[in-house]
Amino acid sequence: MSFLLRAALVIGTLSYFALREGGQAPPPLPASVPGAMPDLARALPAAWNAVPPEARERVAREGLAELSRRLSVPPPSQDTLAEADRRPAWRGAEGR
C-alpha cells in the first residue's frame, strides 16, 4: 500500500512540475468548473466524517498499531559488507 501512495505522490509531483511554465505555478481551477477539485480543507474532514464511526475507530486503531510496530522494531541492516571487508589486508611497509 505504501508503494502505491509513494507512486501517486511522485506521479502527482512530476505532473505538477510538468505543468509549471516559467517558474509559475499553474492557475487554480475556478470553483464553477464541473469536475474541479473541492477545497481540501473542507473535503477531507467531510470525507472522514462520512465514514461510519466503527470504521473510523478501526482505521485509527490499526494505524496506531502499525505505526507503533514499525517504530518499536529497528529496520534490518542494509549493510552489504562482509566481516573480511572491514579488515582489509595491510598495504604498506612491514613493521620494523
Side-chain angles (χ1 to χ4, degrees):
M1 183 67 171
S2 65
F3 170 77
L4 295 176
L5 292 175
R6 281 189 230 147
L9 180 65
V10 168
I11 291 170
T13 303
L14 291 176
S15 299
Y16 173 78
F17 285 122
L19 291 174
R20 291 180 63 169
E21 293 179 0
Q24 299 291 330
L29 293 174
S32 62
V33 174
M37 290 185 60
D39 185 27
L40 287 179
R42 288 178 286 161
L44 289 178
W48 179 252
N49 291 332
V51 175
E54 299 84 23
R56 280 187 280 180
E57 183 181 328
R58 191 181 87 226
V59 166
R61 189 174 355 108
E62 289 177 6
L64 184 59
E66 179 67 19
L67 181 62
S68 63
R69 184 186 67 78
R70 287 184 182 226
L71 291 176
S72 66
V73 177
S77 175
Q78 299 290 324
D79 190 8
T80 58
L81 292 175
E83 191 60 37
D85 295 333
R86 291 190 176 95
R87 286 182 270 128
W90 175 253
R91 295 184 194 137
E94 289 294 322
R96 296 182 183 157

XYZ file of all heavy atoms in Angstrom:
721
model
N 0.820 -1.188 0.000
C 0.000 0.000 0.000
C 0.866 1.255 0.000
O 0.550 2.211 -0.672
C -0.921 -0.061 1.221
C -1.868 1.083 1.300
S -3.030 0.970 -0.042
C -4.176 2.203 0.387
N 1.951 1.228 0.785
C 2.802 2.418 0.820
C 3.455 2.657 -0.537
O 3.712 3.801 -0.894
C 3.861 2.286 1.913
O 4.743 1.235 1.614
N 3.712 1.578 -1.285
C 4.268 1.743 -2.623
C 3.300 2.526 -3.504
O 3.705 3.430 -4.241
C 4.570 0.385 -3.253
C 4.918 0.481 -4.708
C 6.168 0.916 -5.106
C 3.991 0.178 -5.684
C 6.491 1.029 -6.446
C 4.299 0.293 -7.021
C 5.557 0.719 -7.406
N 2.012 2.192 -3.409
C 1.016 2.894 -4.225
C 0.909 4.360 -3.825
O 0.784 5.232 -4.690
C -0.339 2.205 -4.088
C -0.417 0.782 -4.635
C -1.784 0.183 -4.347
C -0.125 0.763 -6.118
N 0.959 4.625 -2.522
C 0.901 6.015 -2.078
C 2.123 6.800 -2.546
O 2.021 7.936 -2.979
C 0.779 6.073 -0.555
C -0.538 5.550 0.006
C -0.490 5.535 1.520
C -1.701 6.372 -0.489
N 3.292 6.180 -2.431
C 4.507 6.858 -2.903
C 4.457 7.082 -4.402
O 4.857 8.140 -4.890
C 5.746 6.026 -2.549
C 6.145 6.171 -1.125
C 7.479 5.515 -0.885
N 7.322 4.659 0.273
C 7.945 3.531 0.468
N 8.806 3.091 -0.398
N 7.739 2.827 1.548
N 3.986 6.081 -5.144
C 3.898 6.229 -6.603
C 2.939 7.358 -6.965
O 3.231 8.169 -7.849
C 3.441 4.909 -7.236
N 1.800 7.428 -6.277
C 0.847 8.509 -6.545
C 1.454 9.859 -6.213
O 1.260 10.839 -6.953
C -0.431 8.279 -5.750
N 2.200 9.940 -5.122
C 2.842 11.195 -4.746
C 3.881 11.620 -5.780
O 3.926 12.775 -6.188
C 3.495 11.063 -3.370
C 4.204 12.296 -2.853
C 3.208 13.413 -2.614
C 4.945 11.976 -1.576
N 4.693 10.679 -6.230
C 5.720 11.001 -7.226
C 5.077 11.408 -8.542
O 5.474 12.408 -9.153
C 6.673 9.799 -7.425
C 7.559 9.993 -8.639
C 7.522 9.597 -6.178
N 4.072 10.669 -8.976
C 3.414 10.994 -10.243
C 2.737 12.351 -10.147
O 2.817 13.174 -11.066
C 2.415 9.893 -10.626
C 3.189 8.626 -11.001
C 1.508 10.337 -11.769
C 2.319 7.400 -11.164
N 2.087 12.626 -9.026
C 1.441 13.921 -8.855
C 2.437 15.060 -8.843
O 2.208 16.117 -9.446
N 3.559 14.865 -8.152
C 4.591 15.903 -8.101
C 5.180 16.159 -9.479
O 5.346 17.308 -9.891
C 5.702 15.492 -7.120
O 5.119 15.257 -5.838
C 6.767 16.555 -7.011
N 5.483 15.084 -10.194
C 6.036 15.248 -11.544
C 5.026 15.921 -12.476
O 5.407 16.756 -13.300
C 6.473 13.900 -12.099
C 7.691 13.266 -11.419
C 7.947 11.886 -12.001
C 8.909 14.144 -11.541
N 3.762 15.569 -12.347
C 2.739 16.209 -13.175
C 2.621 17.695 -12.855
O 2.472 18.522 -13.746
C 1.386 15.532 -12.961
O 1.458 14.184 -13.336
N 2.698 18.025 -11.561
C 2.609 19.422 -11.151
C 3.758 20.226 -11.751
O 3.559 21.288 -12.327
C 2.632 19.517 -9.627
C 2.709 20.939 -9.124
C 1.585 21.749 -9.109
C 3.912 21.472 -8.672
C 1.650 23.051 -8.655
C 3.994 22.767 -8.211
C 2.855 23.557 -8.201
O 2.933 24.846 -7.756
N 4.988 19.694 -11.635
C 6.137 20.424 -12.162
C 6.137 20.453 -13.688
O 6.681 21.373 -14.292
C 7.439 19.842 -11.632
C 7.700 20.202 -10.203
C 7.877 19.234 -9.254
C 7.741 21.527 -9.802
C 8.107 19.562 -7.928
C 7.968 21.872 -8.490
C 8.154 20.884 -7.550
N 5.521 19.453 -14.331
C 5.441 19.468 -15.790
C 4.509 20.583 -16.261
O 4.701 21.138 -17.348
C 4.943 18.122 -16.306
N 3.503 20.920 -15.436
C 2.562 21.970 -15.821
C 3.099 23.373 -15.568
O 2.570 24.350 -16.095
C 1.246 21.796 -15.056
C 0.432 20.575 -15.441
C -0.769 20.441 -14.523
C -0.020 20.680 -16.881
N 4.125 23.467 -14.766
C 4.675 24.794 -14.459
C 5.365 25.361 -15.690
O 6.082 24.668 -16.395
C 5.684 24.695 -13.321
C 5.033 24.360 -12.001
C 6.034 24.262 -10.929
N 6.674 25.561 -10.756
C 7.456 25.858 -9.756
N 7.716 24.982 -8.850
N 8.001 27.046 -9.661
N 5.139 26.617 -15.919
C 5.785 27.270 -17.047
C 6.409 28.565 -16.559
O 5.758 29.378 -15.910
C 4.771 27.585 -18.142
C 4.210 26.357 -18.792
C 3.196 26.720 -19.860
O 2.937 27.903 -20.082
O 2.663 25.792 -20.452
N 7.663 28.732 -16.854
C 8.346 29.969 -16.495
C 8.444 30.207 -14.997
O 8.444 31.343 -14.560
N 8.485 29.132 -14.205
C 8.610 29.277 -12.772
C 7.316 29.613 -12.064
O 7.298 29.833 -10.872
N 6.211 29.672 -12.796
C 4.924 29.993 -12.199
C 4.123 28.711 -11.990
O 4.162 27.795 -12.800
C 4.126 30.932 -13.122
C 4.800 32.250 -13.377
C 4.827 33.109 -12.121
O 3.959 33.030 -11.282
N 5.855 33.932 -11.996
N 3.397 28.654 -10.901
C 2.506 27.520 -10.653
C 1.310 27.624 -11.583
O 0.917 28.716 -11.975
C 2.052 27.525 -9.200
N 0.737 26.512 -11.971
C -0.436 26.587 -12.844
C -1.581 27.269 -12.106
O -1.702 27.151 -10.890
C -0.763 25.120 -13.151
C -0.077 24.333 -12.109
C 1.092 25.134 -11.655
N -2.417 27.998 -12.836
C -3.517 28.700 -12.167
C -4.498 27.702 -11.569
O -4.727 26.637 -12.143
C -4.162 29.514 -13.290
C -3.774 28.807 -14.536
C -2.434 28.174 -14.273
N -5.094 28.027 -10.420
C -6.073 27.105 -9.827
C -7.341 27.061 -10.662
O -7.688 28.028 -11.340
C -6.330 27.703 -8.444
C -5.962 29.143 -8.580
C -4.870 29.208 -9.616
N -8.024 25.926 -10.615
C -9.270 25.794 -11.354
C -10.361 26.590 -10.654
O -10.461 26.563 -9.429
C -9.685 24.318 -11.424
C -8.788 23.412 -12.249
C -9.228 21.969 -12.098
C -8.839 23.822 -13.708
N -11.182 27.291 -11.403
C -12.280 28.000 -10.758
C -13.291 27.005 -10.195
O -13.437 25.900 -10.694
C -12.888 28.853 -11.867
C -12.353 28.302 -13.132
C -11.099 27.550 -12.818
N -13.993 27.415 -9.148
C -14.943 26.523 -8.492
C -16.137 26.211 -9.380
O -16.826 25.215 -9.180
C -15.410 27.144 -7.190
N -16.399 27.052 -10.380
C -17.563 26.847 -11.231
C -17.328 25.784 -12.301
O -18.268 25.372 -12.965
C -17.961 28.158 -11.901
O -16.910 28.618 -12.723
N -16.087 25.339 -12.483
C -15.796 24.330 -13.495
C -16.271 22.970 -12.988
O -15.893 22.545 -11.904
C -14.280 24.275 -13.798
C -13.954 23.130 -14.734
C -13.814 25.585 -14.382
N -17.130 22.285 -13.750
C -17.575 20.960 -13.317
C -16.382 20.006 -13.239
O -15.530 19.986 -14.115
C -18.556 20.510 -14.393
C -18.883 21.730 -15.180
C -17.754 22.695 -14.980
N -16.315 19.256 -12.185
C -15.219 18.316 -12.011
C -14.012 18.924 -11.340
O -13.017 18.245 -11.144
N -14.050 20.210 -11.013
C -12.922 20.829 -10.320
C -12.840 20.251 -8.916
O -13.849 19.948 -8.286
C -13.097 22.339 -10.254
N -11.636 20.084 -8.434
C -11.454 19.517 -7.100
C -11.922 20.506 -6.037
O -11.593 21.685 -6.099
C -9.978 19.176 -6.877
C -9.499 18.019 -7.700
S -7.818 17.546 -7.308
C -7.959 17.142 -5.599
N -12.687 20.031 -5.060
C -13.104 20.936 -3.986
C -11.925 21.279 -3.094
O -10.886 20.633 -3.135
C -14.153 20.129 -3.233
C -13.819 18.716 -3.529
C -13.206 18.705 -4.908
N -12.099 22.295 -2.306
C -11.055 22.712 -1.383
C -10.773 21.569 -0.415
O -11.672 21.058 0.248
C -11.520 23.961 -0.632
C -10.443 24.514 0.247
O -9.252 24.309 -0.050
O -10.788 25.170 1.241
N -9.517 21.150 -0.322
C -9.161 20.009 0.518
C -9.408 20.267 1.990
O -9.675 19.335 2.745
C -7.701 19.621 0.278
C -7.404 18.935 -1.040
C -5.927 18.627 -1.166
C -8.212 17.666 -1.181
N -9.318 21.514 2.418
C -9.553 21.817 3.822
C -10.992 21.492 4.218
O -11.264 21.212 5.376
C -9.247 23.284 4.102
N -11.905 21.517 3.264
C -13.298 21.163 3.546
C -13.603 19.722 3.152
O -14.421 19.074 3.778
C -14.241 22.095 2.797
C -14.270 23.494 3.394
C -15.172 24.382 2.607
N -14.467 24.702 1.351
C -15.049 25.144 0.261
N -16.334 25.320 0.234
N -14.348 25.416 -0.812
N -12.942 19.228 2.116
C -13.277 17.909 1.590
C -12.774 16.782 2.492
O -13.484 15.793 2.686
C -12.701 17.745 0.187
N -11.569 16.896 3.022
C -11.022 15.807 3.830
C -11.812 15.581 5.118
O -12.159 14.437 5.417
C -9.546 16.053 4.125
C -8.625 15.887 2.914
C -7.192 16.204 3.304
C -8.728 14.497 2.354
N -12.112 16.619 5.907
C -12.935 16.357 7.099
C -14.322 15.825 6.742
O -14.861 14.967 7.448
C -13.030 17.721 7.784
C -11.862 18.483 7.291
C -11.621 17.991 5.904
N -14.887 16.299 5.650
C -16.209 15.813 5.245
C -16.139 14.334 4.866
O -17.027 13.554 5.216
C -16.739 16.639 4.082
N -15.080 13.947 4.169
C -14.920 12.545 3.795
C -14.689 11.683 5.030
O -15.214 10.572 5.135
C -13.758 12.398 2.816
N -13.886 12.158 5.978
C -13.617 11.407 7.202
C -14.902 11.254 8.022
O -15.161 10.193 8.584
C -12.528 12.101 8.017
C -12.214 11.404 9.297
C -12.528 11.809 10.544
C -11.506 10.172 9.448
N -12.064 10.912 11.463
C -11.433 9.896 10.828
C -10.937 9.275 8.553
C -10.811 8.758 11.330
C -10.312 8.136 9.073
C -10.253 7.884 10.425
N -15.716 12.304 8.084
C -16.965 12.230 8.841
C -18.015 11.370 8.147
O -18.953 10.905 8.792
C -17.519 13.634 9.094
C -16.652 14.402 10.055
O -15.981 13.824 10.901
N -16.634 15.721 9.912
N -17.867 11.140 6.860
C -18.804 10.282 6.128
C -18.560 8.809 6.409
O -19.433 7.978 6.179
C -18.698 10.550 4.630
N -17.381 8.469 6.917
C -17.055 7.082 7.244
C -17.783 6.726 8.543
O -17.819 7.524 9.474
C -15.519 6.925 7.410
C -15.162 5.532 7.873
C -14.823 7.262 6.111
N -18.362 5.520 8.615
C -19.042 5.119 9.846
C -18.096 5.147 11.050
O -16.899 4.887 10.909
C -19.502 3.688 9.561
C -19.513 3.563 8.082
C -18.467 4.510 7.578
N -18.606 5.475 12.247
C -17.745 5.590 13.432
C -16.962 4.317 13.744
O -15.802 4.391 14.171
C -18.718 5.918 14.568
C -19.934 6.438 13.911
C -19.988 5.842 12.544
N -17.565 3.145 13.530
C -16.848 1.893 13.805
C -15.639 1.755 12.883
O -14.569 1.324 13.306
C -17.779 0.681 13.621
C -18.977 0.667 14.533
C -20.130 1.498 13.981
O -20.204 1.721 12.751
O -20.946 1.954 14.801
N -15.819 2.112 11.624
C -14.716 2.015 10.664
C -13.629 3.036 10.994
O -12.436 2.739 10.885
C -15.228 2.219 9.244
N -14.024 4.245 11.396
C -13.027 5.250 11.783
C -12.202 4.775 12.961
O -10.984 4.920 12.979
C -13.705 6.567 12.138
C -14.091 7.398 10.964
C -14.588 8.723 11.405
N -15.978 8.539 11.836
C -16.757 9.482 12.294
N -16.302 10.697 12.438
N -18.001 9.232 12.622
N -12.884 4.181 13.947
C -12.171 3.677 15.122
C -11.218 2.553 14.737
O -10.085 2.501 15.199
C -13.180 3.184 16.156
C -12.534 2.702 17.437
C -13.566 2.210 18.427
O -14.692 2.741 18.432
O -13.232 1.290 19.179
N -11.672 1.645 13.862
C -10.826 0.533 13.439
C -9.607 1.043 12.659
O -8.484 0.580 12.868
C -11.629 -0.442 12.583
C -10.873 -1.749 12.353
C -11.647 -2.703 11.489
N -11.320 -2.365 10.107
C -12.210 -2.246 9.135
N -13.485 -2.439 9.361
N -11.829 -1.938 7.920
N -9.825 2.005 11.765
C -8.718 2.567 10.990
C -7.706 3.233 11.916
O -6.490 3.035 11.783
C -9.245 3.572 9.936
C -8.125 4.407 9.364
C -9.968 2.832 8.839
N -8.207 3.998 12.887
C -7.300 4.674 13.819
C -6.544 3.656 14.668
O -5.329 3.782 14.872
C -8.090 5.626 14.709
N -7.248 2.619 15.151
C -6.600 1.603 15.987
C -5.541 0.834 15.195
O -4.417 0.636 15.663
C -7.661 0.656 16.527
C -7.163 -0.302 17.555
C -8.272 -1.157 18.184
N -9.620 -0.820 17.768
C -10.369 -1.589 16.953
N -9.899 -2.699 16.477
N -11.595 -1.222 16.625
N -5.892 0.392 13.993
C -4.940 -0.370 13.178
C -3.768 0.497 12.730
O -2.635 0.029 12.671
C -5.648 -0.973 11.973
C -6.580 -2.107 12.348
C -7.347 -2.656 11.162
O -7.080 -2.226 10.011
O -8.212 -3.519 11.383
N -4.042 1.754 12.403
C -2.958 2.657 12.012
C -1.989 2.898 13.149
O -0.766 2.891 12.966
N -2.516 3.103 14.359
C -1.654 3.303 15.519
C -0.869 2.037 15.844
O 0.314 2.109 16.185
C -2.490 3.734 16.722
C -1.724 4.074 17.987
C -0.745 5.221 17.723
C -2.683 4.454 19.092
N -1.512 0.868 15.716
C -0.820 -0.393 15.973
C 0.326 -0.595 14.975
O 1.430 -0.998 15.352
C -1.802 -1.563 15.911
N 0.069 -0.325 13.707
C 1.110 -0.482 12.686
C 2.246 0.510 12.901
O 3.424 0.168 12.781
C 0.519 -0.306 11.289
C 1.514 -0.431 10.159
C 2.067 -1.838 10.018
O 1.463 -2.794 10.531
O 3.120 -1.968 9.373
N 1.902 1.735 13.239
C 2.922 2.748 13.493
C 3.786 2.365 14.680
O 5.021 2.440 14.610
C 2.272 4.109 13.724
C 3.205 5.277 13.982
C 4.104 5.513 12.780
C 2.416 6.521 14.296
N 3.167 1.919 15.763
C 3.954 1.532 16.937
C 4.785 0.287 16.654
O 5.894 0.147 17.159
C 3.045 1.315 18.144
O 2.156 0.249 17.898
N 4.265 -0.636 15.837
C 5.039 -1.829 15.484
C 6.278 -1.448 14.676
O 7.367 -1.929 14.927
C 4.178 -2.805 14.673
C 4.905 -4.117 14.371
C 4.078 -4.996 13.454
N 3.928 -4.458 12.124
C 4.868 -4.509 11.164
N 6.031 -5.053 11.402
N 4.640 -3.999 9.970
N 6.101 -0.547 13.721
C 7.238 -0.139 12.894
C 8.270 0.658 13.671
O 9.453 0.574 13.404
C 6.760 0.670 11.692
C 6.085 -0.186 10.663
C 5.714 0.619 9.449
N 5.027 -0.223 8.500
C 5.307 -0.231 7.208
N 6.236 0.557 6.740
N 4.644 -1.012 6.404
N 7.814 1.447 14.641
C 8.751 2.242 15.431
C 9.465 1.408 16.486
O 10.572 1.754 16.893
C 8.023 3.409 16.093
C 7.529 4.495 15.148
C 6.736 5.535 15.916
C 8.684 5.137 14.415
N 8.862 0.315 16.938
C 9.465 -0.482 18.005
C 10.516 -1.451 17.479
O 11.406 -1.850 18.219
C 8.395 -1.251 18.759
O 7.789 -2.215 17.918
N 10.425 -1.844 16.224
C 11.378 -2.800 15.646
C 12.347 -2.038 14.757
O 11.931 -1.409 13.788
C 10.639 -3.875 14.824
C 11.616 -4.825 14.176
C 9.647 -4.615 15.695
N 13.655 -2.088 15.075
C 14.599 -1.389 14.193
C 14.638 -2.057 12.817
O 14.486 -3.270 12.708
C 15.941 -1.527 14.908
C 15.782 -2.677 15.835
C 14.323 -2.771 16.168
N 14.819 -1.275 11.781
C 14.852 -1.857 10.440
C 16.077 -2.757 10.286
O 17.105 -2.547 10.934
C 14.951 -0.639 9.516
C 15.480 0.453 10.365
C 15.029 0.163 11.772
N 15.964 -3.780 9.446
C 17.117 -4.653 9.240
C 18.271 -3.878 8.608
O 18.066 -2.913 7.882
C 16.598 -5.740 8.296
C 15.398 -5.146 7.652
C 14.827 -4.159 8.621
N 19.450 -4.328 8.899
C 20.639 -3.651 8.398
C 20.710 -3.746 6.877
O 20.442 -4.787 6.297
C 21.894 -4.270 9.005
O 23.046 -3.694 8.437
N 21.089 -2.661 6.260
C 21.264 -2.628 4.819
C 22.738 -2.788 4.449
O 23.123 -2.576 3.309
C 20.742 -1.296 4.257
C 19.269 -1.076 4.506
C 18.412 -2.010 3.676
O 18.738 -2.334 2.538
N 17.311 -2.458 4.252
N 23.540 -3.140 5.432
C 24.976 -3.259 5.249
C 25.290 -4.465 4.376
O 24.820 -5.572 4.622
C 25.649 -3.414 6.608
C 27.155 -3.290 6.517
O 27.664 -2.938 5.438
O 27.821 -3.543 7.536
N 26.088 -4.273 3.328
C 26.447 -5.369 2.434
C 27.894 -5.800 2.604
O 28.357 -6.677 1.886
C 26.233 -4.949 0.965
O 27.023 -3.793 0.692
C 24.761 -4.660 0.702
N 28.598 -5.195 3.559
C 29.986 -5.572 3.771
C 30.080 -6.850 4.590
O 29.354 -7.045 5.564
C 30.731 -4.460 4.520
C 30.939 -3.156 3.757
C 31.578 -2.124 4.663
C 31.794 -3.381 2.541
N 30.989 -7.715 4.191
C 31.287 -8.907 4.977
C 32.319 -8.513 6.036
O 32.963 -7.461 5.961
C 31.836 -10.010 4.074
N 32.480 -9.383 7.015
C 33.441 -9.088 8.084
C 34.857 -8.960 7.514
O 35.647 -8.134 7.963
C 33.396 -10.184 9.146
C 34.152 -9.856 10.397
C 33.629 -8.600 11.090
O 32.417 -8.373 11.094
O 34.472 -7.852 11.625
N 35.199 -9.750 6.491
C 36.528 -9.672 5.872
C 36.724 -8.330 5.160
O 37.853 -7.839 5.056
C 36.726 -10.819 4.894
N 35.650 -7.728 4.677
C 35.755 -6.438 4.004
C 36.097 -5.317 4.986
O 36.657 -4.296 4.602
C 34.442 -6.088 3.304
C 34.133 -7.043 2.177
O 35.087 -7.610 1.605
O 32.935 -7.233 1.869
N 35.751 -5.496 6.226
C 36.022 -4.467 7.226
C 37.472 -4.482 7.686
O 37.936 -3.527 8.291
C 35.109 -4.670 8.425
C 33.678 -4.373 8.107
C 32.846 -4.336 9.372
N 31.497 -3.948 9.065
C 30.510 -4.799 8.844
N 30.723 -6.087 8.913
N 29.309 -4.361 8.551
N 38.175 -5.581 7.447
C 39.584 -5.681 7.819
C 40.419 -5.991 6.572
O 40.819 -7.123 6.344
C 39.769 -6.803 8.854
C 39.256 -6.397 10.216
C 39.482 -7.468 11.239
N 38.289 -8.331 11.220
C 38.314 -9.646 11.086
N 39.444 -10.295 10.978
N 37.204 -10.335 11.083
N 40.657 -4.979 5.731
C 41.431 -5.249 4.509
C 42.892 -5.578 4.841
O 43.410 -5.207 5.889
C 41.334 -3.938 3.729
C 41.066 -2.908 4.761
C 40.298 -3.581 5.847
N 43.506 -6.290 3.922
C 44.914 -6.648 4.108
C 45.754 -5.369 4.127
O 45.466 -4.402 3.412
C 45.367 -7.566 2.980
N 46.798 -5.371 4.938
C 47.674 -4.213 5.051
C 48.454 -4.034 3.772
O 49.024 -4.972 3.223
C 48.619 -4.391 6.246
C 49.616 -3.295 6.351
C 50.951 -3.369 6.075
C 49.373 -1.950 6.748
N 51.548 -2.176 6.261
C 50.597 -1.275 6.685
C 48.258 -1.255 7.143
C 50.734 0.075 6.999
C 48.406 0.070 7.467
C 49.610 0.724 7.386
N 48.457 -2.805 3.264
C 49.236 -2.486 2.064
C 50.199 -1.396 2.447
O 49.853 -0.257 2.568
C 48.324 -1.983 0.966
C 47.369 -3.013 0.474
C 46.556 -2.481 -0.695
N 45.436 -3.358 -0.946
C 44.226 -2.990 -1.196
N 43.930 -1.702 -1.238
N 43.280 -3.857 -1.409
N 51.410 -1.771 2.616
C 52.420 -0.797 3.002
C 53.653 -1.508 3.516
O 53.796 -2.718 3.407
N 54.536 -0.727 4.096
C 55.786 -1.288 4.612
C 55.479 -2.121 5.839
O 54.662 -1.784 6.674
C 56.761 -0.181 4.946
N 56.143 -3.250 5.927
C 56.005 -4.124 7.088
C 56.571 -3.407 8.312
O 57.433 -2.543 8.213
C 56.757 -5.428 6.863
C 56.128 -6.329 5.845
C 54.764 -6.851 6.292
O 54.596 -7.148 7.493
O 53.855 -6.939 5.448
N 56.070 -3.771 9.456
C 56.561 -3.168 10.696
C 58.054 -3.405 10.891
O 58.599 -4.409 10.473
N 58.742 -2.481 11.489
C 60.196 -2.602 11.626
C 60.577 -3.135 12.925
O 60.201 -3.082 13.953
C 60.843 -1.254 11.404
C 60.599 -0.807 9.999
C 61.275 0.498 9.731
N 60.910 0.855 8.362
C 60.929 2.050 7.909
N 61.291 3.041 8.679
N 60.602 2.295 6.684
